[in-house]
DNA sequence: CCTAGTTAATGTCAAAATGACTCTAACGCG
DNA sequence: CGCGTTAGAGTCATTTTGACATTAACTAGG
């Protein structure tokens, strides 16, 4: 016999198309501890069924016949984690024949960003947990989900329009220092505060408000606001998919 | 009744996943006529079955259970057009519920680039034809294929690594003028020859050979060569998917 | 109230990159 | 040979970038 998996005949006989599912990489930002850099982090769910039972995996699930792909992503991630991100974009479709050991599975991967105040606010469930992006505990994930996470990070780092991404991780108003922390977490290196300020001042999409963040120990920083200029072609409405 | 399509019940009753297909946007470059700029062009196939019979559409077809998605793209586009591009990358997956009037269809769109000497070399078939990218005859295409073409062009223009793209449209060796023509066709504007040369000289991925293109009417231009530095994460092996 | 400490915000300056342009080299053709 | 044309190198002012210095505004501690 050949190296074709044993289930191939079954699928072929029934003339069924591959099973269709969605998975979502949900990224958020977590403030660094005692002067350390901010960290990117994401929620994962532990699989309770075969295959890969017990391993951490991306939230997701099958696509229903009456929903769009983006809707499926939003629905499954809300169902498993309770999270409702404000940004959702399609990432890539993974369809190698051997990516699941039990059946032919095509997965459309999505990529979501979460406001900082929602990070950690998942459902109470021992099978849902947050991990820092560099946590060695998630070096291996179920299926090819580690590859999907790496690809999401690659895409985040290569985004042209950083303004959009940063504000979707922070929320409505933010200080320049917080925004710089986000950039540093994404790029993995320190940035000069003065030069960072200069570049953002020349960016039309970020606007100074006349409010300041009070309560700190030192000089209060000004608050800024993102003034978007329309979604890019990849973006998906998280509510209507 | 609601606005749910009439076939939704059928799919739901049978509990079938959506039908899975691939479509490919194949782009090539065509030398401009009498001093005019080069043009991007692509092959399309005329649909002979419903829905959208008679309209031009992207080459493609259903995904078999025993092939990867990239293999499906390569197989279907070779089958319909006879072309074998040297570059294939996944573009986007389109899965809106109403994108086909007759059934639920999820299409994984691919994006291919063709060497200049293969442009026009499709099978002899009145239902296969080449069109310039700005040809008004293709302002409307079957399904949402016009949207897919526009997205492929957007992605091409926003590529960071232009060297790769250009050499995949031209072939092994090329002159700087030919390369500049490709850039101009992609970007839609003229570029300064001297500055273009300077930029490419500082690019490690393009290397001068000691050969010159003979046979022209004027000073023979030097031939250059692309020395790639590995595929990016999006790229697909056109042969093995 | 005054000063030290810390962070916010602005300013300076040289190096590097960019855009517009000029100048020289090398071919075919008559 | 000289002319037309394209290849290729060089010039220069402007803009952008990275590194660093300086000033401003607050709190905390005495």
């Amino acid at each position: 016999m050949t190296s074709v998996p044993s289930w191939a005949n079954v699928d072929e006989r029934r003339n069924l198309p591959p099973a269709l599912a969605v998975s979502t990489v949900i990224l958020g930002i977590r403030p660094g501890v005692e002067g350390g850099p901010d960290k990117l982090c994401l929620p994962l769910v532990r699989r309770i069924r075969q295959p890969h039972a017990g391993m951490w995996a991306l939230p997701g699930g099958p696509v229903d016949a009456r929903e769009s792909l983006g809707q499926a992503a939003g629905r499954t991630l809300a169902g498993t984690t309770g999270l409702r991100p404000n940004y959702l974009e399609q990432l890539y479709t993974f369809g190698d024949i051997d990516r699941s050991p039990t059946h032919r599975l095509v997965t459309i991967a999505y990529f979501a960003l979460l406001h900082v105040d929602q990070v950690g606010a998942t459902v109470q469930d021992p099978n849902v947990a947050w991990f820092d992006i560099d946590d060695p505990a998630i070096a291996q994930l179920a299926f090819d989900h580690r590859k999907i996470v790496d690809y999401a990070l690659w895409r985040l780092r290569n985004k042209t329009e950083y303004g959009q991404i940063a504000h979707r991780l922070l929320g409505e108003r933010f200080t320049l220092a917080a925004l710089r922390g986000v950039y540093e977490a994404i790029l993995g290196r320190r940035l000069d505060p003065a030069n960072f300020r200069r570049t953002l001042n020349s960016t039309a999409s970020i606007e100074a408000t006349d409010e300041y963040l009070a309560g700190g120990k030192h000089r209060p920083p000004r608050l800024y606001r993102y003034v978007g200029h329309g979604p890019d072609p990849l973006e998906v409405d998280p509510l209507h998919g």
Side-chain angles (χ1 to χ4, degrees), chain A residues 8 13 18 21 40 42-43 52 59 76-77 84-85 87 109 116 128 131 168 176 179 188 194 212 223 231 234 236:
Chain A
R13 178 151 37 84
L40 285 171
L42 83 170
H52 298 300
T76 55
L77 87 86
R84 303 189 177 280
Y87 179 81
V116 64
V128 178
F131 296 89
R168 292 189 193 278
L176 283 192
L179 190 54
Y212 294 82
L223 289 173
L234 292 169
V236 172

Side-chain angles (χ1 to χ4, degrees), chain A residues 14-238:
Chain A
R14 289 205 202 140
N15 198 25
L16 286 180
L20 207 57
V22 291
S23 291
T24 306
V25 180
I26 311 154
L27 291 177
I29 196 88
R30 188 177 61 73
V33 287
E34 40 183 287
D38 295 354
K39 293 276 191 178
L40 285 171
C41 55
L42 83 170
L44 296 172
V45 299
R46 200 186 336 243
R47 285 187 60 82
I48 51 177
R49 310 166 64 169
Q50 293 297 345
H52 298 300
M55 293 191 75
W56 294 103
L58 294 171
V63 178
D64 284 352
R66 296 168 67 160
E67 68 186 350
S68 73
L69 304 174
Q71 282 169 343
R75 174 182 59 78
T76 55
L77 87 86
T80 49
T81 65
L83 296 168
R84 303 189 177 280
N86 50 92
Y87 179 81
L88 189 63
E89 102 177 22
Q90 191 184 299
L91 201 56
Y92 200 78
T93 298
F94 296 84
D96 282 355
I97 334 189
D98 56 351
R99 55 186 297 273
S100 165
T102 52
H103 60 304
R104 175 69 192 276
L105 177 63
V106 170
T107 295
I108 297 142
Y110 276 80
F111 170 47
L113 295 177
L114 214 56
H115 281 182
V116 64
D117 51 290
Q118 292 190 66
V119 171
T122 37
V123 292
Q124 280 308 106
D125 186 332
N127 293 321
V128 178
W130 285 82
F131 296 89
D132 278 0
I133 218 60
D134 53 3
D135 189 331
I138 59 168
Q140 303 286 334
L141 296 177
F143 302 103
D144 52 3
H145 286 189
R146 181 68 227 189
K147 205 170 92 181
I148 299 179
V149 171
D150 288 338
Y151 180 59
L153 291 171
W154 181 85
R155 189 115 125 202
L156 184 63
R157 293 191 184 108
N158 287 280
K159 267 281 175 190
T160 47
E161 246 295 23
Y162 267 116
Q164 294 205 29
I165 291 192
H167 104 276
R168 292 189 193 278
L169 285 168
L170 288 175
E172 177 68 17
R173 288 160 208 279
F174 44 83
T175 67
L176 283 192
L179 190 54
R180 181 166 49 87
V182 171
Y183 276 66
E184 290 176 343
I186 292 176
L187 297 176
R189 61 188 170 93
R190 293 289 183 174
L191 297 173
D192 183 291
N195 296 337
F196 183 78
R197 177 182 304 273
R198 179 176 56 190
T199 33
L200 282 195
N201 278 340
S202 68
T203 300
S205 64
I206 290 193
E207 186 178 85
T209 69
D210 49 2
E211 293 174 72
Y212 294 82
L213 181 64
K217 288 181 182 171
H218 308 293
R219 174 174 175 175
R222 187 186 282 267
L223 289 173
Y224 288 79
R225 173 175 63 202
Y226 176 77
V227 284
H229 40 260
D232 60 53
L234 292 169
E235 189 168 343
V236 172
D237 180 341

